[in-house]
Every structure is written in C-alpha cells, then in structure tokens.
Amino acid sequence: MEKLLIGSSSPHLRSNETIQSIMLDVLIALLPATIAGVYFFRFNAVKLIVLAIASAVATEYIIQKLTKKPVTIRDLSAVVTGLLLAFNIPASAPWWIPVIGSAFAIAIVKQAFGGLGHNFMNPALGARAMLLASWPVIMTNWVTPGPDAVSTATPLAIMKGAEATNEALPSLTNMFIGNIGGCIGETSAALLILGGLYLLYKKVINWRIPVVYIGTVAVLTFILDGGFTGMSYHLFAGGLMIGAFYMATDYASSPVTPKGQLIFAFGCGLLTSIIRLYGGYPEGVSYSILLMNVATPIIDKFTSPKVFGEVKRNG
C-alpha cells in the first residue's frame, strides 16, 4: 500500500525536547549547588531537600489522583519545584517547613490554576513568600556553614544593618564559593552560575532574562551603594543568581516575547535594587520576581508582534 501524504495546518514545529528532558537538564544544572549546600550545611540540608522533594511529588500525585487527571510526576517538574523550594529555606528550619511549603507550591500555586504551564507565578517562590509571611523568624534564622553551626546574619543583612551589626562582612572569595550563612542553595554563586551556563548551552533558557536582570542590579548598586565592592556583595550574596537563572526564567510565568523578556528582567532588577537599598527587607529577589510574574500577561499583551496582514483600525 502506498504511503499517504497527510496535510495539516501550520505551524509545523518539531522538537525532540520533552518536559521531562527539560526538567532533567534543570536538575543537572542544580546538582553542583545541591552538593555544595550539603557540604556546607551537612545533614540538615539533606533532610530538608529530601522532605521538600518528597512532599512536592506526593502532593502532585494525590491531587491528580483525586481530580482524576493523568499523573505526571514522571515529568520531574514536581521534583524541580521541591528542590528549588529547599534551596530557599535556611538549614536551621524544622522538618515541617519544607513539607508545608512544597504542598502549598504544588496544591495552591500550581494545581489550583490548572497544573504545569498554567501557574501565573513560580510555585517555589510563591511557597517561599507564604512561608516567610507565616513563620518569619524560622525563615530568617541563618546558620554558619560547618558542623558547629551557629546563628549568623547574611551578608545582605549585615550591609543593611538590620541585625547582628557587630558581625563583619565575609570575604568576597568566601561569598563567591558559598562559605557563608544563608539559604541552603543560594550561597554558592559560583556553582549557580556554572549551572546557569549549562542551561544556556543546552538552550533550556536564553540570555535575556538572566543577563538583563543581573546587569540591572549591577549597574544600580554600583552607582547607588558603594561602587565595585558594594555591587559585588549585591551580586553574589542572597538569591540573585538562583532567581535570575532558575526562577525568573520559568516558562509559564515569564513573558514569551523577546522584548517582553527584556522588560520583565529589567523590572526584576529594578525592584530588587529598590527593595534592597531602600526597603526594610535586606533581600528583594523573591518579591521582585513574583511582582513581575503578575505583570507578565500585560507585558505580553503590549509586546506581542502584530498578526501578519493586520491593518490599523481606522487606518
């Protein structure tokens, strides 16, 4: 029998990428920072990472079973959400913090809005904001790296003078490699950048959002907060690298147009700088990305290219 020629309407796009392959690349990119988090914060980091991932996967499975939807835990998106949430939790947090946080991220921020691709904000960041608002003392109880972990302040908090004003800023080298107090996965800027370069190489993300986001923070903090030294602390301390490479680039909650991505990234950088320099909170990455997530539909609306053949109204 001769082969049939089947015609269909455009677009005719073909790609070998799947959700699972993209999420696997993200996990590979996060692996160096995960190992660093375990090295610096020891068993507590392992415990919180495992609980966050297990809670995210279990919540997704239970909700999809209850709502009689196909179970999609094999696509690894819940694993990525759980790992990113664990990265945003202090190593001193009790076991139930990642369990509640991951359940909120999956059940409320992701599945309540239709599941993967329909969430209007990054699930892990939405959960972090909820945890920070509900248990602010636990979520800001940072400890020093190593087996004899003691309470400390983050470099951004020391710069802000909000707490532990008697502490000295860590060296730029320690801050770059991650040997400082902070959340489990955000301390090692070097390894987060390495993972980000891997995602760029694999074309999982493009350069627009991370480069413009980081560049905006660099320029503003260089001008407004102590020149090169101040800028370096703002770039490599806190959650800027993990936010710029892994969270602001979320496909579902960031603009799809190139111009929209540039506007989105600039807005993230501007808001992060304003919150850090003039707000009452030493960190600003989470709320900056969440606010720009909310603005994403408007940005897409005004930056979408005109349909081919469209003419101006009243033209």
Side-chain angles (χ1 to χ4, degrees):
M1 184 177 178
E2 294 183 1
K3 292 184 178 178
L4 295 177
L5 179 62
I6 300 174
S8 62
S9 59
S10 59
H12 301 112
L13 298 177
R14 294 288 185 273
S15 172
N16 293 326
E17 290 183 338
T18 64
I19 295 174
Q20 186 183 53
S21 69
I22 291 172
M23 294 300 165
L24 183 59
D25 278 332
V26 176
L27 291 174
I28 292 172
L30 289 170
L31 183 60
T34 304
I35 295 172
V38 172
Y39 174 78
F40 287 125
F41 299 110
R42 311 302 167 97
F43 177 73
N44 276 348
V46 177
K47 179 182 68 178
L48 297 178
I49 290 171
V50 170
L51 286 171
I53 293 174
S55 175
V57 174
T59 303
E60 181 138 293
Y61 178 84
I62 292 169
I63 288 180
Q64 289 177 332
K65 277 291 186 182
L66 290 175
T67 56
K68 302 186 185 307
K69 293 180 179 178
V71 175
T72 59
I73 57 174
R74 291 179 183 274
D75 67 13
L76 300 178
S77 62
V79 176
V80 170
T81 297
L83 182 57
L84 286 175
L85 178 65
F87 271 33
N88 284 276
I89 292 176
S92 61
W95 66 268
W96 48 268
I97 282 288
V99 173
I100 293 176
S102 286
F104 181 88
I106 297 297
I108 305 301
V109 185
K110 183 179 177 183
Q111 292 297 333
F113 290 92
L116 185 66
H118 299 278
N119 49 289
F120 71 96
M121 66 173 63
N122 184 289
L125 278 184
R128 183 179 192 270
M130 183 277 292
L131 292 172
L132 191 59
S134 303
W135 296 282
V137 175
I138 292 176
M139 288 296 291
T140 54
N141 183 24
W142 321 110
V143 293
T144 55
D148 301 322
V150 296
S151 294
T152 186
T154 64
L156 292 178
I158 296 173
M159 291 177 69
K160 193 82 173 180
E163 54 182 305
T165 52
N166 292 327
E167 292 190 41
L169 281 169
S171 68
L172 286 174
T173 302
N174 276 337
M175 195 176 57
F176 189 62
I177 64 174
N179 190 23
I180 56 173
C183 292
I184 292 172
E186 72 178 20
T187 58
S188 180
L191 296 178
L192 289 170
I193 293 171
L194 179 66
L197 294 175
Y198 172 78
L199 292 180
L200 289 169
Y201 171 74
K202 296 288 288 186
K203 298 182 178 178
V204 174
I205 62 175
N206 66 59
W207 62 269
R208 296 184 191 89
I209 291 179
V211 169
V212 175
Y213 188 174
I214 295 170
T216 301
V217 174
V219 171
L220 291 177
T221 55
F222 179 84
I223 297 172
L224 301 172
D225 197 27
F228 180 79
T229 302
M231 178 195 73
S232 300
Y233 280 98
H234 280 287
L235 292 184
F236 301 132
L240 181 59
M241 293 302 162
I242 188 172
F245 282 108
Y246 303 93
M247 294 178 144
T249 53
D250 179 22
Y251 292 168
S253 55
S254 62
V256 296
T257 64
K259 187 185 296 183
Q261 291 170 356
L262 296 176
I263 296 171
F264 175 88
F266 175 75
C268 288
L270 178 64
L271 289 172
T272 297
S273 301
I274 290 174
I275 293 172
R276 286 185 175 184
L277 297 178
Y278 305 112
Y281 190 54
E283 177 58 282
V285 170
S286 299
Y287 291 111
S288 301
I289 296 175
L290 289 174
L291 287 170
M292 293 308 296
N293 284 161
V294 175
T296 290
I298 298 175
I299 295 173
D300 269 337
K301 178 181 178 180
F302 288 102
T303 58
S304 297
K306 293 186 181 301
V307 177
F308 182 72
E310 182 180 349
V311 295
K312 278 187 176 180
R313 291 183 181 179
N314 304 321

